[in-house]
Amino acid sequence: MATPTLVRGARATQSTITLKIAMAVSGILFILFVLAHMYGNLKVFSGEEAFNSYAEHLRTIGAPIFPRTGVLWILRVGLIASLIVHVACAVTLARRAGRARPVQYQVKRNVNSAFSSRTMRWGGATILMFLIWHLLNFTIVKINPTGGETENPYRLLVDNFGVWWMTIIYLVAMAALALHLHHGTWSSLQTLGLTNSPLARQRAKLAGWVVAVVVAGGFSLVPLSVLVGITK
Amino acid sequence: MAGSTLHDGLTPLNAAPTQTSDDAHGYYTLGEKIVDPVAPTGPIAQRWTTRKFENRLVNPANRRKLNIIIVGTGLAGAAAAATLGEGGYNVKSFCYQDSPRRAHSIAAQGGINAAKNYKEDGDSVFRLFYDTVKGGDYRSRESNVYRLAEVSTNIIDQCVAQGVPFARDYGGLLDNRSFGGVQVSRTFYARGQTGQQLLIGAYQAMERQVAAGTVTQYTRHEMLELIVKDGKARGIIARDLVTGEIETHLADAVVLASGGYGNVFYLSTNAMGSNVTAAWRAHRKGAYMANPCFTQIHPTCIPVSGEHQSKLTLMSESLRNDGRIWVPKRAEDCEKDPRDIPEEDRDYYLERIYPSFGNLVPRDIASRQAKNVCDEGRGVGPMVGDFRRGVYLDFSDAIKRLGEPAIREKYDNLFDMYQRITGENPYEVPMRIYPAVHYVMGGLWVDYHLQSNIPGLFVTGEANFSDHGANRLGASALMQGLADGYFVLPNTIREYLADGPFAPVSEDDGAVVEAREAVRSRVERFLSINGTRSPDSFHKELGHIMWEYCGMERTEPGLRKAIDMIRELKREFWNDLKVLGTADSLNQSLEKAGRVADFIELGELMCVDALNRRESCGGHFRGESQTEDGEALRHDDEFAYVAAWEWGGDEGQPVLHKEDLVYTAIEMKQRSYK
Amino acid sequence: MIGTMNLTLKIWRQPHAEAQGGMREYQVSGISEDMSFLEMLDILNEQLQEQGEEPVAFDHDCREGICGSCSLMINGQAHGPEVTTSCQLHMRSFKDGDTITIEPWRSEAFPVVKDLVVNRSAFDRIIQSGGYISANTGSAPEANSVPAPREKAMRAFNVATCIGCGACVAACPNGSASLFLGAKITHLGELPQGQPERYERIVDMVAQHDAEGFGGCTNIGECAAACPKGIPLDVISQLNKDLRTAIKAGR
């Protein structure tokens, strides 16, 4: 219910915009992460040995100052924290948006918004589900649907994408990720207040396209190459 | 202009008028002459300064005990609410709209005058004063006008400090333009939305006081009665338009800033809700209505397209700088595509009749001539009733001469607006324009302190009659609204309030109960007549009568006929009105009914005033008073007075009180635009 | 010369704030394309009056696109299919036989008063919370003593044209008033006179916006597309930037 009185003693940190800024910052961390992850995946094209040694290297970064998987865990903790912030803020804002329009329109036309911008919440939920599967698939449980070996990262990957429905799951997820990144990149820049002119706005929207195509396209190259038999 | 000399401001330069004609005989009673009881004396340039010093102060500790009601939140109302709130008074602000920001001051396009002389082009306070009195055809009070010119410069300072985004030059300083044929550049502007920006500034200043607790705002509230107790204005009865509740609000002083009554013509550039009710209710309680027939009709409006038309839209008269106005020479050409009418068959009538001023003749002349050619059957555009009501405003020569990009740069937004409304592209087809009622110079009579003849009732902005005489200069309405609200009223109302707080009035007091019951029974009456016609249909009919007989040209037989027709309309209204819905909810028909009832009474008074004033001055053109060339002929010997009308009762006749206009600083001159 | 139209109107009717509302269907005929949308509704109302049915209540005042009163959701678009206000929308944007759905703005912060009329006083309170420059009457310095760079003054003017109609809220899937808020923040923040209160202003105004029940912004841009005055989306970026600066300043 709307309050008919004036707010006293307001704090900047308690505003909805602060929640958005938190989403933008955590989102940008994810963008950096997926860019790095995608780049790493492309190592597949260098062959089994190169890929596996890259996977191993991830666990030994910073050694010997850090113990094995030490840096990796620092990154993981950072990503998990970002995920919690990102999802918590999203849920809070989504519930708020729901309350802001208790009666829906009989007819509502959206005329200017990109499809990606209107699917952020469902898209985000899809990506979250996928993420859980993906971690079970490749990190926590390590599932090989062909029953093959699971401790060889390269084989695990190629075996997985050799299964057609697994490839479809991943491609669908990449489509969802592309949509999320397309709007998310521009939106984060806008939320951080970096798009104060028409030109800056145009560039931020372009950045959204670039990130979406590069990340989702880069990721998709691997399952596609397995599917068509380039990678075996 | 060079001929005007600075007088000492002490010796009258004109004799008192003696009226010999009596056209309105039988329609009114002549009352005693009146004078402004607080008129200042001394050299004109010192009068306001002296008066500000003479007016008593109110102890700051006492101010919050003083309650002031302000009706209306346009420039005059919002500016006064903000300033009085800042001063620490306890202000209640009323508006019928859902937010104070929607008051119709917002629609003013052109600009606001101020004697800043930033262009060093010879402007001064005296020149602005002189131009305003002359533009008003010497029917305004010189002390008031001088004060207006004097505070004009403070307005700009105040607005800039509030964040009004006026146009600026490349150095970041304020830009000016010349406006309405004036030879100096003294008009400050914010593209075509000056009124909006000034109103938002005043609104924000007022909202700041709402937050500070000094101003309480009552939106969707309409004042329906004035409470007068022991001869003093002590409050209002207002209806909450959402719940229908009849509320009593008591105060030490009441300020009406309720705007003009141009909607008496039904079609005007006023907002749909603009009405005379607050002022008319005060008039019926004893406040004099001054010069009600002085109406300004603006020549460049978008024409009526059919009977359904609800509202007219103004376009800036700057269009006349480059457009040429014409109609076909022969009535049979009027249906043709204007581009197919050869040059020799076109009548550029303004250029023909007024070779030196041409298309830039003053508003009233341009308007009247447009009506004349249409009445001759040479109007263009769709048939509305028996006539085509429109003339061409043609840019094809200007486009040929300056190129389309230059025209586009100057008038792009106006052309777009025109195209949106009419569906025609003015770059290709000549625009059609027609005059429309735009502003009223008449209003409640006030003294130098903006106080009406009812003590404690103050009137500001367009609602009062004071500053524009018989005609208003372009870009001066905004100036007057803000001058009254920010600088004049706060300095004059304190002289009255210094005697307060006044003895408290109880809600059960006889005068209060009577006012409240009057409102209640009136509302019930509207709902119980149960006839057949909607309030709107009466309003439309009244508008037709007013436009035809009390519009741009008024004649004795026409006005007499109009008065009869209005009286008949009034009878029919009270017998055949139908208002659906209830009194205890939002009921727009009910609101409308009350406004139309008051417009009908006002319309009659306007006709009586116009009938009495057998002279042509400013916006008032009497057919009987013109030169051989058909130009307006003023009669200073008879009519150099303010006609202040007293309500004569429902069955009685209005009483005319004359206030002679005395000029001590400038001489009266007959204008000529030939 | 001009054809007339027959139309089917589906209009939200609700007798008062607490009442249950619903859609009603009406037929109007003989509508000319030169009419404004509101004049078409006038005709419907005259027709209803004749039939003894209470006319449809809708907010309107200046009918020239500047007061911001009109507030109709027309076929799912705030102010209808053109970039203008409902009062400046003309019937030539429709064709004979069309069905037009008309609803009030839908927002928790804009409760329906009656039929198509909503209460937008939340906007007034947002302004009260800081949408002004504190300059008491009489305290102003000479207007030209503080130059304002032309570019900034123009940007301030461009966004100060907001008419406070609420179309941005109505169009926003989140029911956010960020465009309204950003327009005022940018208007005052671009002017030298607005600097002293700049960061206090934004914190207070955003807090009021949130307290009124408006949603948060997800930068999708429906607001700017619906805005009859073409206020651009970059005012929301400015809003975010100023709030970020306020956080840094510890407000």
Side-chain angles (χ1 to χ4, degrees):
Chain A
M1 186 60 208
T3 156
T5 51
L6 292 185
V7 176
R8 305 282 172 188
R11 305 283 307 169
T13 44
Q14 290 165 0
S15 66
T16 48
I17 297 179
T18 305
L19 294 179
K20 289 167 40 174
I21 292 175
M23 282 191 78
V25 171
S26 52
I28 287 175
L29 291 176
F30 282 126
I31 292 173
L32 296 175
F33 166 71
V34 289
L35 277 169
H37 185 355
M38 183 274 295
Y39 172 75
N41 282 13
L42 296 181
K43 287 270 175 198
V44 163
F45 296 109
S46 307
E48 180 169 352
E49 200 175 321
F51 185 74
N52 284 349
S53 74
Y54 155 73
E56 174 59 18
H57 175 69
L58 286 178
R59 283 153 183 79
T60 56
I61 297 173
I65 294 181
F66 288 93
R68 184 179 156 83
T69 71
V71 170
L72 192 61
W73 270 108
I74 291 172
L75 290 173
R76 280 172 177 168
V77 168
L79 286 171
I80 290 167
S82 293
L83 184 68
I84 291 169
V85 167
H86 202 77
V87 173
C89 291
V91 169
T92 310
L93 287 168
R95 291 177 58 181
R96 189 183 172 82
R99 284 195 305 271
R101 178 159 299 135
V103 182
Q104 297 302 311
Y105 291 108
Q106 310 272 331
V107 180
K108 174 76 171 81
R109 287 187 60 205
N110 291 310
V111 288
N112 192 50
S113 48
F115 176 72
S116 64
S117 70
R118 283 179 275 120
T119 49
M120 287 301 273
R121 290 179 187 134
W122 286 111
T126 309
I127 293 167
L128 185 62
M129 301 294 286
F130 165 75
L131 180 65
I132 293 167
W133 164 247
H134 178 57
L135 289 174
L136 292 172
N137 193 184
F138 281 104
T139 312
I140 303 170
V141 183
K142 295 182 181 164
I143 301 163
N144 190 331
T146 62
E149 55 179 317
T150 57
E151 290 310 318
N152 179 335
Y154 183 84
R155 291 301 342 147
L156 183 64
L157 182 143
V158 174
D159 286 354
N160 257 292
F161 292 139
V163 180
W164 65 270
W165 52 267
M166 193 63 90
T167 304
I168 288 179
I169 289 178
Y170 273 81
L171 289 179
V172 168
M174 286 312 104
L177 182 64
L179 288 171
H180 207 74
L181 288 174
H182 173 251
H183 182 69
T185 304
W186 129 257
S187 183
S188 60
L189 294 171
Q190 163 93 350
T191 297
L192 291 175
L194 303 173
T195 48
N196 285 319
S197 67
L199 183 64
R201 187 164 67 236
Q202 218 177 336
R203 284 180 178 158
K205 291 205 162 171
L206 183 65
W209 278 106
V210 171
V211 170
V213 169
V214 168
V215 171
F219 273 131
S220 302
L221 281 179
V222 178
L224 286 173
S225 73
V226 175
L227 192 69
V228 300
I230 297 171
T231 304
K232 289 174 190 159
Chain B
M1 189 161 287
S4 79
T5 43
L6 278 159
H7 287 270
D8 56 6
L10 299 171
T11 12
L13 293 169
N14 61 312
T18 320
Q19 186 174 345
T20 51
S21 63
D22 195 12
D23 285 3
H25 179 76
Y27 290 104
Y28 76 106
T29 350
L30 187 63
E32 282 176 20
K33 278 200 171 187
I34 52 170
V35 290
D36 175 354
V38 293
T41 51
I44 196 154
Q46 295 306 314
R47 289 178 190 171
W48 178 232
T49 309
T50 312
R51 182 52 54 87
K52 277 193 286 183
F53 176 73
E54 288 168 352
N55 281 351
R56 289 172 293 163
L57 301 172
V58 177
N59 184 331
N62 263 347
R63 292 183 199 161
R64 65 189 153 78
K65 296 180 207 152
L66 288 160
N67 298 305
I68 304 171
I69 284 172
I70 302 179
V71 182
T73 58
L75 291 181
T83 307
L84 293 170
E86 287 159 7
Y89 296 97
N90 195 16
V91 178
K92 283 183 177 182
S93 157
F94 292 81
C95 65
Y96 71 79
Q97 298 91 342
D98 73 324
S99 164
R101 67 179 296 151
R102 312 216 191 277
H104 199 56
S105 304
I106 204 158
Q109 298 170 359
I112 177 166
N113 288 330
K116 280 284 195 188
N117 193 25
Y118 280 161
K119 296 278 180 184
E120 194 56 33
D121 56 1
D123 197 14
S124 63
V125 168
F126 197 90
R127 193 176 297 279
L128 176 55
F129 156 67
Y130 178 89
D131 288 352
T132 306
V133 173
K134 181 174 173 244
D137 238 352
Y138 304 92
R139 291 294 175 265
S140 51
R141 264 195 219 129
E142 61 175 10
S143 298
N144 292 50
V145 178
Y146 194 90
R147 174 178 65 190
L148 175 66
E150 194 177 333
V151 302
S152 67
T153 58
N154 303 97
I155 296 171
I156 302 304
D157 298 342
Q158 181 61 31
C159 293
V160 167
Q162 284 171 349
V164 171
F166 283 121
R168 289 176 182 269
D169 59 22
Y170 286 96
L173 299 176
L174 294 163
D175 195 16
N176 298 113
R177 59 184 174 197
S178 101
F179 197 79
V182 170
Q183 287 156 305
V184 292
S185 289
R186 62 160 76 103
T187 305
F188 293 77
Y189 64 100
R191 214 167 298 162
Q193 281 130 286
T194 318
Q196 180 197 26
Q197 294 309 315
L198 295 175
L199 183 69
I200 296 296
Y203 157 73
Q204 288 171 183
M206 176 177 141
E207 293 302 300
R208 172 173 164 246
Q209 292 311 304
V210 172
T214 58
V215 176
T216 311
Q217 74 184 29
Y218 294 84
T219 57
R220 294 199 199 269
H221 274 67
E222 183 166 27
M223 168 184 161
L224 292 178
E225 200 52 88
L226 179 72
I227 297 171
V228 180
K229 161 82 178 161
D230 298 333
K232 289 188 175 124
R234 294 305 305 272
I236 62 168
I237 306 293
R239 181 168 177 270
D240 179 330
L241 299 179
V242 175
T243 65
E245 197 176 329
I246 308 290
E247 299 174 350
T248 305
H249 296 273
L250 299 166
D252 295 283
V254 176
V255 180
L256 299 187
S258 47
Y261 48 78
N263 267 349
V264 68
F265 291 87
Y266 184 70
L267 286 181
S268 79
T269 65
N270 284 8
M272 301 300 286
S274 299
N275 66 81
V276 76
T277 291
W280 194 254
R281 295 285 115 195
H283 174 61
R284 289 177 58 108
K285 280 281 165 108
Y288 297 164
M289 184 60 107
N291 299 334
C293 77
F294 287 168
T295 314
Q296 187 173 77
I297 297 183
H298 198 286
T300 51
C301 294
I302 299 176
V304 176
S305 67
E307 282 296 326
H308 58 268
Q309 190 100 11
S310 62
K311 147 89 196 180
L312 295 172
T313 303
L314 181 82
M315 292 184 294
S316 169
E317 63 185 332
S318 63
L319 288 171
R320 288 198 279 145
N321 290 337
D322 288 305
R324 295 179 71 194
I325 295 173
W326 63 276
V327 289
K329 281 184 178 160
R330 293 187 303 265
E332 56 269 29
D333 284 349
C334 290
E335 276 176 55
K336 282 191 188 164
D337 185 323
R339 289 166 294 187
D340 297 339
I341 301 175
E343 201 62 28
E344 61 272 19
D345 289 340
R346 300 177 176 192
D347 179 12
Y348 294 89
Y349 58 90
L350 288 177
E351 297 169 25
R352 172 172 58 82
I353 309 173
Y354 309 96
S356 59
F357 276 77
N359 296 302
L360 291 173
V361 291
R363 289 178 177 181
D364 56 306
I365 296 179
S367 299
R368 199 164 58 245
Q369 295 299 354
K371 182 170 191 290
N372 286 346
V373 293
C374 293
D375 287 352
E376 286 168 20
R378 296 194 288 144
V380 296
M383 276 284 197
V384 181
D386 303 333
F387 294 104
R388 296 175 195 281
R389 293 168 203 273
V391 298
Y392 290 122
L393 177 62
D394 196 337
F395 285 85
S396 52
D397 283 354
I399 290 172
K400 248 178 257 161
R401 193 175 68 243
L402 306 165
E404 193 177 311
I407 295 297
R408 200 174 278 281
E409 193 175 318
K410 271 187 177 170
Y411 305 115
D412 196 23
N413 55 345
L414 292 168
F415 278 34
D416 283 354
M417 178 171 81
Y418 180 85
Q419 185 160 13
R420 191 163 57 238
I421 293 174
T422 63
E424 290 173 0
N425 180 356
Y427 292 104
E428 287 164 10
V429 190
M431 271 186 179
R432 287 174 294 112
I433 55 167
Y434 200 63
V437 173
H438 171 56
Y439 186 88
V440 293
M441 283 68 70
L444 289 175
W445 183 89
V446 289
D447 62 18
Y448 189 65
H449 287 181
L450 304 183
Q451 185 168 226
S452 71
N453 56 309
I454 300 176
L457 178 68
F458 292 79
V459 190
T460 59
E462 192 179 349
N464 75 27
F465 87 105
S466 78
D467 295 350
H468 304 297
N471 213 353
R472 178 177 64 73
L473 293 182
S476 279
L478 300 181
M479 171 172 71
Q480 188 220 340
L482 288 181
D484 286 1
Y486 283 133
F487 298 105
V488 179
L489 181 80
N491 278 307
T492 57
I493 201 170
R494 59 182 158 88
E495 168 64 20
Y496 179 77
L497 292 173
D499 289 327
F502 301 102
V505 179
S506 153
E507 290 214 6
D508 304 324
D509 187 280
V512 180
V513 173
E514 184 245 292
R516 200 164 47 222
E517 285 314 308
V519 170
R520 210 185 298 281
S521 67
R522 195 160 179 262
V523 166
E524 278 165 17
R525 196 167 161 206
F526 289 134
L527 287 164
S528 62
I529 296 170
N530 213 8
T532 60
R533 292 180 60 182
S534 68
D536 236 28
S537 74
F538 286 104
H539 193 185
K540 231 178 231 191
E541 193 175 332
L542 174 69
H544 278 302
I545 301 171
M546 294 302 292
W547 179 250
E548 208 49 52
Y549 303 108
C550 198
M552 281 170 284
E553 180 169 346
R554 295 130 182 213
T555 62
E556 188 184 335
L559 288 164
R560 285 177 184 277
K561 186 174 173 191
I563 293 170
D564 289 343
M565 290 170 83
I566 294 170
R567 287 178 178 173
E568 180 51 36
L569 186 69
K570 185 174 172 180
R571 259 191 299 280
E572 203 182 329
F573 177 88
W574 289 105
N575 286 309
D576 199 21
L577 177 72
K578 181 165 191 169
V579 177
L580 293 162
T582 58
D584 61 357
S585 68
L586 182 73
N587 188 336
Q588 292 170 325
S589 304
L590 180 62
E591 294 164 25
K592 185 87 203 237
R595 293 169 193 165
V596 173
D598 291 335
F599 277 135
I600 292 175
E601 292 180 3
L602 166 75
E604 184 179 332
L605 183 67
M606 287 172 72
C607 292
V608 173
D609 185 42
L611 188 57
N612 173 61
R613 193 172 282 276
R614 191 192 178 90
E615 68 160 346
S616 299
C617 63
H620 170 66
F621 186 86
R622 272 289 296 268
E624 294 86 354
S625 182
Q626 46 184 316
T627 62
E628 282 174 13
D629 311 331
E631 289 312 303
L633 185 60
R634 219 174 60 216
H635 294 293
D636 294 336
D637 50 338
E638 284 193 74
F639 293 102
Y641 66 77
V642 175
W645 297 90
E646 183 184 354
W647 174 247
D650 277 312
E651 305 305 323
Q653 289 177 332
V655 183
L656 172 62
H657 299 276
K658 298 178 184 176
E659 179 201 334
D660 290 344
L661 289 167
V662 180
Y663 288 90
T664 60
I666 43 181
E667 278 178 88
M668 299 166 116
K669 287 195 178 118
Q670 194 81 236
R671 66 175 191 167
S672 170
Y673 291 94
K674 283 267 172 174
Chain C
M1 172 169 90
I2 299 158
T4 59
M5 292 177 256
N6 300 326
L7 301 165
T8 304
L9 304 176
K10 289 184 178 169
I11 300 179
W12 179 262
R13 300 300 308 258
Q14 181 176 340
H16 55 88
E18 282 77 37
Q20 188 77 32
M23 299 300 284
R24 288 285 307 273
E25 202 171 298
Y26 303 99
Q27 307 291 331
V28 285
S29 53
I31 301 299
S32 134
E33 61 172 25
D34 285 329
M35 284 179 190
S36 73
F37 195 82
L38 301 190
E39 284 164 354
M40 184 274 292
L41 288 180
D42 290 343
I43 291 204
L44 170 71
N45 276 345
E46 279 288 321
Q47 191 178 306
L48 291 178
Q49 158 106 15
E50 273 167 32
Q51 295 162 1
E53 184 173 345
E54 208 180 324
V56 179
F58 60 94
D59 261 326
H60 62 105
D61 202 24
C62 77
R63 293 207 180 185
E64 50 186 286
I66 193 77
C67 76
S69 292
C70 54
S71 45
L72 300 178
M73 200 72 179
I74 300 165
N75 282 344
Q77 285 181 264
H79 295 304
E82 314 285 338
V83 179
T84 187
T85 53
S86 310
C87 64
Q88 290 289 291
L89 176 66
H90 281 70
M91 295 313 292
R92 63 182 73 90
S93 299
F94 299 89
K95 55 183 195 304
D96 188 33
D98 276 359
T99 297
I100 306 175
T101 305
I102 311 170
E103 297 176 76
W105 288 169
R106 294 290 187 197
S107 162
E108 170 68 5
F110 292 164
V112 173
V113 172
K114 182 177 184 173
D115 296 342
L116 303 170
V117 176
V118 298
N119 178 349
R120 286 168 286 188
S121 58
F123 273 9
D124 285 339
R125 288 189 293 277
I126 290 178
I127 298 298
Q128 284 159 23
S129 68
Y132 50 74
I133 291 171
S134 299
N136 281 3
T137 303
S139 65
E142 152 58 40
N144 257 351
S145 60
V146 187
R150 194 163 182 268
E151 287 301 310
K152 282 173 170 283
M154 290 209 348
R155 186 175 186 219
F157 171 79
N158 285 337
V159 300
T161 54
C162 167
I163 56 175
C165 65
C168 46
V169 176
C172 175
N174 303 307
S176 173
S178 290
L179 195 72
F180 170 78
L181 198 54
K184 191 47 63 190
I185 290 293
T186 308
H187 162 207
L188 299 177
E190 285 287 10
L191 295 171
Q193 291 81 5
Q195 299 313 310
E197 296 165 293
R198 184 166 181 176
Y199 298 109
E200 202 178 311
R201 175 185 309 127
I202 182 155
V203 174
D204 290 342
M205 288 181 76
V206 171
Q208 191 64 36
H209 167 275
D210 293 352
E212 295 291 347
F214 291 108
C217 173
T218 53
N219 304 318
I220 74 162
E222 285 297 336
C223 53
C227 177
K229 296 293 148 182
I231 308 277
L233 215 47
D234 57 53
V235 300
I236 298 181
S237 174
Q238 188 70 54
L239 172 78
N240 296 333
K241 184 181 180 189
D242 281 14
L243 190 94
R244 187 158 53 80
T245 314
I247 293 174
K248 267 195 251 165
R251 285 189 185 270

